[in-house]
Amino acid sequence: MPELPEVETTRRGLAPHLLGRTVVGLDVRQPRLRWPLPDVLRETLPGQRILDVERRAKYLLVHTEPGSALLHLGMSGSLRVLPATTPIGTHDHVDWRLDSGQVLRFTDPRRFGSQLWQPRGETHPLLAGLGPEPLSDEFDGDLLWARSRGRKAAVKLLLMDQAIVVGVGNIYASEALFAAGIHPKRPAGSISRERYARLAEEVKRILAYAIRRGGTTLRDFIDPDGSPGYFEQELFAYGRDGEPCKVCGAPIRAIVLGQRSTFFCARCQR
């Protein structure tokens, strides 16, 4: 699933082509995505001028005067701005026709993505109760330390809890814990304030760097201009089961936490 850097890369790629443009109409070839395309989106969006393109967690919000389209890429979705004459592929489910003569095309082979609607002044239920953005000033080691007190669950699960901090998915949680030298199974409540400060710093550093590098190319993700991300080759832990640790040479190990594969170095992470 595309993670925060991939979604932010998509936002940055799309924004210059969408800002100030008017949505002339929608061509919906497959309305049955993760959730059916809502009628209010199909009825309200045509004729609206795009005011801003924002990211919240792993969602993209395309703002217009009456409200915002809420887009999620799901497992395999992608968004590209293309000439309206571009041939339509099997999995090209929705086109937003723009007054520029281009289309914003949503492609999703697995159909786990979504396009929903958030009326102006309201917060969609999917966004309600989310924690702070990891790259914001609201997120730091003090927040992690305070929210972890008394918790026996593994620290990696705490880091991936969207009510505590949004958008730190499986790949980047593994990488941040490796960089901070913290074992992913360590009980969250047993970690000191100082170690949480280091962990928060590594989350910010790694996410910011991955965004600059274009995200992580894993399976289906490509950015809006069709280019792959370039961070995968620099991963220290994720997906490297059995390979030597780049720091100490010990084999990277894999376990399952919260039904997700978790990778770590038993020598470097305590």
Side-chain angles (χ1 to χ4, degrees):
M1 178 180 292
E3 295 201 24
L4 185 150
E6 288 76 32
V7 180
E8 179 62 20
T9 299
T10 297
R11 187 198 69 79
R12 295 183 183 190
L14 294 176
H17 303 283
L18 298 183
L19 290 177
R21 303 262 60 107
T22 295
V23 180
V24 176
L26 266 62
D27 295 327
V28 179
R29 290 176 285 274
Q30 174 53 270
R32 294 174 62 83
L33 304 176
R34 182 174 183 180
W35 297 285
L37 211 71
D39 290 339
V40 65
L41 174 71
R42 303 169 76 164
E43 295 166 358
T44 308
L45 190 58
Q48 299 301 323
R49 182 171 174 267
I50 295 172
L51 304 176
D52 198 7
V53 182
E54 181 188 6
R55 180 190 54 75
R56 179 68 172 118
K58 299 179 186 179
Y59 294 91
L60 291 174
L61 288 93
V62 182
H63 297 301
T64 69
E65 185 64 28
S68 306
L70 186 69
L71 311 180
H72 195 283
L73 299 178
M75 295 287 290
S76 59
S78 65
L79 289 161
R80 299 191 204 175
V81 176
L82 304 167
T85 56
T86 303
I88 297 166
T90 303
H91 305 295
D92 294 340
H93 302 314
V94 181
D95 280 359
W96 295 14
R97 285 182 278 117
L98 307 172
D99 63 353
S100 61
Q102 297 179 303
V103 295
L104 174 63
R105 178 162 294 172
F106 179 63
T107 304
D108 189 0
R110 302 181 196 177
R111 285 195 283 148
F112 287 159
S114 60
Q115 295 198 12
L116 302 169
W117 183 255
Q118 174 179 274
R120 184 179 181 182
E122 298 183 18
T123 299
H124 194 280
L126 290 170
L127 303 183
L130 292 179
E133 291 285 332
L135 297 177
S136 71
D137 292 339
E138 297 176 66
F139 173 69
D140 58 18
D142 288 340
L143 180 144
L144 287 176
W145 183 82
R147 298 296 297 273
S148 67
R149 295 306 86 191
R151 294 202 180 206
K152 297 180 180 179
V155 62
K156 181 168 182 259
L157 302 182
L158 177 89
L159 196 58
M160 293 179 64
D161 185 337
Q162 299 295 291
I164 293 175
V165 57
V166 300
V168 184
N170 197 29
I171 297 171
Y172 297 100
S174 291
E175 291 299 299
L177 287 164
F178 176 87
I182 299 174
H183 195 292
K185 284 187 68 175
R186 179 174 287 277
S190 70
I191 297 171
S192 69
R193 188 190 295 264
E194 291 73 23
R195 297 193 82 192
Y196 271 126
R198 171 74 186 279
L199 179 58
E201 290 173 0
E202 293 298 346
V203 167
K204 290 175 181 283
R205 180 186 67 81
I206 289 170
L207 288 176
Y209 183 65
I211 290 169
R212 292 196 301 271
R213 294 288 282 159
T216 306
T217 304
L218 294 172
R219 298 181 181 171
D220 302 301
F221 176 75
I222 50 179
D223 75 16
D225 68 2
S227 303
Y230 294 102
F231 188 69
E232 180 185 11
Q233 60 189 315
E234 301 173 53
L235 295 172
F236 279 78
Y238 186 86
R240 301 190 64 244
D241 182 23
E243 297 180 28
C245 173
K246 295 180 181 180
V247 174
C248 72
I252 295 293
R253 298 183 183 179
I255 56 174
V256 176
L257 279 177
Q259 300 181 326
R260 305 297 297 276
S261 295
T262 298
F263 303 87
F264 67 97
C265 173
R267 186 179 297 172
C268 293
Q269 294 172 254
R270 301 292 182 181

